[in-house]
Amino acid sequence: SSSSSSSSPPRTQKQPHRHPVPRPSPPSAPPKLISKITPFAGAKMFHPSIIRTNSSSGASSSNELSTSPPSPSTSPSSSTPPSSVSTSAQSRQAIRAAASSSKVVFRVPHVDELEFESTSGSPFVPMAAGAIAGAVEHMCMYPVDTVKTRMQAIQPGQPNYNGVVKTFTSIVHTEGIPRLYRGVSAIVLAALPSHAIYFGTYELGKNMLGANQPGNHFLSYALSGAMAQMAHDAVVTPVDVVKQRLQLFGSRFTSVTEVVHNIVKKEGISAFYASYSTTLIMNVPFISAHFVCYEFLKSNLTAIFNRKNINNSPAVHMIAGGGAGALGGLVSNPFDVMKTRIQTDPGLPMGMRNFAGAFRHIMATEGIHGFTKGLSARVLYFTPSAAICWTTYEAMKKFLGLH
């Protein structure tokens, strides 16, 4: 009996208390979806990213799509596992939930994130764009150029041209509207090769000097502009002489060929380049400042427009070009007066048809006031002229495939 009592079954050990497994609470908001779109058409340097964020958080910390779906809602007492859902269905559900409660935020990138133009491809694209831009510019602004020339030149018996409006109305009333366009064919034909060389050289200079890389390259812009202007003036200076002879008050010339024949016969071929040195002295500082001002205004205006969520690339080029043209025209007007006198003034002795001689002659006969003649017309000309030229050039670069 003792053995039977000792072989009784052992006492069952007390089982530990099992706490219910906590169920994960459903997320308070749908998962975030961040997506970037292709840069908008016409963007050059600043490309805003469109970021979709959860409306409750307003900021995103991940660049990946969370495909974890929210747990299905079940009662607290239920212990049955949720039904399985396919991964693709979960992803679609997450995307719909994020898109339905998201908002669009525009972000202006830092300067290190900017994309700068690369013109390392064919040089014929900027040359073609520049040729078209030059022709459009000169056709639109030629009447204002005629008014400027009349105000700066000195001709026997000409009226007292002392204002842009007065000069314009005087030409229209006494000589007719076609007179404003006399010589336009010469300048437009010259604009095609000269502006092609002009913009092609500028883009080439920017590539050689590294100005297409991120950052500010004011010296590179200035040097590239100087090279472009020297190449441009070598083509356009002889045409400019012919143009101004046709624009003068009481000009007896009626065609380009007649002017060319008369100059070669009476003054020699060297007369076509008599003002070339003065033109370079005037244009190289002007165009260097012009390009630096344009590039500076373009980059800063683009940043301002993007910060205000405005996508208007043509307006940026128009404002930047107009501002650069106005500043350059204002600073270079005294040199332009001397150039015009060298090319047109019959009272200027042949030995004084150079920069120093023209300067002394104007100071002796008219004083310092003589260097301000045509200032308002020049600024009025270069402001819309540069705006038209740059806007057309940038648009044609985009149209021809140079981004």
Side-chain angles (χ1 to χ4, degrees), residues 71-266:
S71 301
S73 59
T74 57
S75 62
S77 60
S78 174
S79 60
T80 59
S83 59
S84 61
V85 184
S86 65
T87 305
S88 60
Q90 294 173 359
S91 301
R92 288 195 296 270
Q93 182 183 359
I95 292 172
R96 291 194 200 98
S100 62
S101 62
S102 63
K103 63 182 180 179
V104 177
V105 180
F106 285 86
R107 178 177 65 85
V108 178
H110 189 264
V111 67
D112 295 334
E113 303 176 274
L114 304 181
E115 293 185 9
F116 289 78
E117 295 177 359
S118 175
T119 58
S120 57
S122 172
F124 296 107
V125 174
M127 291 179 70
I132 296 171
V136 172
E137 170 201 351
H138 285 293
M139 283 191 294
C140 293
M141 299 305 301
Y142 195 80
V144 183
D145 186 64
T146 300
V147 171
K148 175 190 71 71
T149 301
R150 290 291 184 91
M151 293 177 67
Q152 291 178 340
I154 299 293
Q155 291 294 303
Q158 76 174 18
N160 184 21
Y161 298 127
N162 56 6
V164 175
V165 176
K166 183 178 179 180
T167 303
F168 180 84
T169 54
S170 175
I171 295 172
V172 171
H173 289 162
T174 59
E175 304 173 61
I177 294 177
R179 185 71 173 191
L180 293 169
Y181 288 92
R182 178 175 287 187
V184 68
S185 59
I187 202 66
V188 169
L189 289 175
L192 295 173
S194 65
H195 277 69
I197 295 172
Y198 178 69
F199 282 104
T201 306
Y202 178 65
E203 297 291 356
L204 178 64
K206 283 172 61 178
N207 278 329
M208 292 173 57
L209 298 172
N212 285 323
Q213 301 302 318
N216 293 318
H217 305 277
F218 297 136
L219 180 60
S220 298
Y221 297 146
L223 293 175
S224 300
M227 291 189 295
Q229 191 63 45
M230 286 188 285
H232 170 272
D233 288 345
V235 177
V236 82
T237 297
V239 181
D240 199 42
V241 173
V242 176
K243 171 189 71 83
Q244 290 188 336
R245 298 290 177 95
L246 289 165
Q247 288 176 326
L248 293 175
F249 172 78
S251 174
R252 59 185 179 83
F253 302 113
T254 58
S255 67
V256 173
T257 55
E258 185 181 357
V259 176
V260 172
H261 182 266
N262 182 269
I263 293 175
V264 171
K265 183 179 179 180
K266 294 186 176 181

Side-chain angles (χ1 to χ4, degrees), residues 29-32 52-59 97-105:
K32 301 170 185 177
R52 290 194 172 186
T53 62
N54 187 288
S55 58
S56 61
S57 62
S100 62
S101 62
S102 63
K103 63 182 180 179
V104 177
V105 180

